[in-house]
Amino acid sequence: MLICCMLFISEARNRAALDLIEQAARIDSESVIVNKFEDRVYNRIRFTIVSYVVVDSTGSPIYSPLHQTVLAIVEAAYGAINLELHSGAHPRLGVVDDIAFHPLAEASLDEAAWLAKAVAADIGSRFQVPVFLYAAAHPTGRAPDTIRRELGYYRPNFMGSQWAGWNIPEILPENPDHGPNHVSRTRGVTLIGARSWVTLYNIPIMCTDVSTARRIARMVSARGGGLPTVQSLALFHGDDSAEIACMLLEPNRIGPDRVQAQVEMLAAQEGLDVEKGYFTDLSPEMIVQKYMNLISAGRD
């Protein structure tokens, strides 16, 4: 039974910091980095880490190597990154911005949620960082975008399309699930959740106008009356282009081909060119296979 952790950290330009964080991620040979995605414009990196979960005789989860591995990564990130000095084209609430646990193979969502809640409690108490739980890790199953809107995540505070420093009140408008309700400006806030697999798919468009890119993103998303189970965000990605960053909540229902076609149609109405989109991670099947290959190679 395997659990996949996607851990998003607000840094992709400081190689020394990234090396320290990756070194921490490798403290336990039973937790394996199967992929990473870093973007210097967004100034953001995501580690995809996999390990197993152990259950007792009643079927309740009791242990996963991922627990201590994630805490080691978090500690290294807080030691190496200062959010007040961070800027990038991707929104974020903290140095460790988001930690998402997904069940793989024969693991269940309940087991992923157990691990998410255990990690959240330790981060809140050990590092005194406010932690908000979402999806299956939260009693109401609240969505992460709901929390983000309440905390001002989607509002750039620099040059109209960038996020710089800490830009929301130091006293939070609502109490977090773990940790204090006041925020360290150097560390920020962390979101932690457990959910079924989601697909992350970015589509580049040749656009320099903020309002046009945001209008296209809004019309693609379910929230804007577009495609069901799709969330999208317009992000600038260089001097002459933007990306429609999409999260496909049910990729078997609404897949990347349909999202690509929708963006191309909307962009054509604006007279804009669109490039072929790309995935930012492997598929669940590929992740399991790569994990098994890496574990086998390590044992040999």
Side-chain angles (χ1 to χ4, degrees):
M1 297 190 296
L2 300 177
I3 302 291
C4 170
C5 175
M6 290 191 181
L7 203 155
F8 298 81
I9 294 175
S10 301
E11 183 57 68
R13 301 171 186 169
N14 184 333
R15 181 49 54 187
L18 296 178
D19 288 345
L20 287 172
I21 293 165
E22 186 161 343
Q23 182 179 353
R26 299 184 185 279
I27 62 166
D28 189 330
S29 62
E30 294 184 306
S31 295
V32 178
I33 301 173
V34 297
N35 198 23
K36 59 181 179 179
F37 177 76
E38 53 188 295
D39 191 301
R40 289 182 59 83
V41 177
Y42 292 156
N43 205 6
R44 183 175 175 88
I45 190 170
R46 186 212 57 241
F47 291 97
T48 302
I49 308 169
V50 176
S51 194
Y52 60 85
V53 59
V54 177
V55 298
D56 63 18
S57 59
T58 68
S60 300
I62 56 173
Y63 172 73
S64 173
L66 271 177
H67 189 155
Q68 292 305 318
T69 298
V70 170
L71 292 179
I73 295 170
V74 170
E75 183 173 21
Y78 287 147
I81 302 166
N82 182 341
L83 190 65
E84 286 193 291
L85 305 179
H86 178 273
S87 64
H90 197 291
R92 75 289 186 277
L93 291 171
V95 166
V96 181
D97 191 56
D98 184 13
I99 304 175
F101 292 92
H102 305 277
L104 295 174
E106 298 178 10
S108 71
L109 190 55
D110 286 344
E111 288 148 4
W114 164 80
L115 185 53
K117 289 183 281 190
V119 168
D122 282 348
I123 290 176
S125 61
R126 185 183 301 187
F127 304 111
Q128 287 298 293
V129 169
V131 178
F132 290 88
L133 296 171
Y134 66 84
H138 189 267
T140 68
R142 65 181 173 184
D145 56 312
T146 300
I147 305 168
R148 287 168 174 154
R149 284 191 178 86
E150 292 172 351
L151 297 180
Y153 176 88
Y154 297 105
R155 295 194 294 269
N157 67 328
F158 182 64
M159 298 176 62
S161 62
Q162 303 284 312
W163 284 261
W166 176 252
N167 64 332
I168 66 175
E170 293 182 37
I171 302 299
L172 295 169
E174 65 170 295
N175 289 329
D177 296 289
H178 295 283
N181 71 343
H182 61 273
V183 185
S184 160
R185 299 178 65 88
T186 62
R187 295 182 174 183
V189 170
T190 296
L191 270 61
I192 300 180
R195 66 198 317 179
S196 299
W197 190 262
V198 298
T199 295
L200 304 178
Y201 185 72
N202 293 353
I203 304 174
I205 61 173
M206 300 302 104
C207 177
T208 59
D209 180 67
V210 175
S211 60
T212 300
R214 289 175 180 162
R215 183 166 61 250
I216 292 172
R218 185 170 57 251
M219 295 173 69
V220 170
S221 70
R223 181 179 174 84
L227 297 174
T229 72
V230 173
Q231 296 177 353
S232 57
L233 180 65
L235 300 172
F236 272 79
H237 201 251
D239 294 334
D240 60 354
S241 67
E243 288 191 338
I244 307 301
C246 300
M247 179 180 290
L248 315 185
L249 302 181
E250 297 181 33
N252 292 331
R253 178 182 174 191
I254 304 291
D257 290 345
R258 188 166 172 188
V259 175
Q260 179 82 34
Q262 186 78 352
V263 171
E264 289 177 357
M265 180 193 71
L266 294 168
Q269 294 173 0
E270 303 284 351
L272 300 172
D273 293 328
V274 176
E275 295 182 358
K276 179 64 177 175
Y278 62 94
F279 299 98
T280 69
D281 210 340
L282 306 174
S283 69
E285 296 78 14
M286 294 169 68
I287 285 174
V288 171
Q289 187 60 57
K290 188 170 182 181
Y291 167 80
M292 299 303 293
N293 292 343
L294 290 169
I295 284 291
S296 177
R299 288 171 179 166
D300 292 344

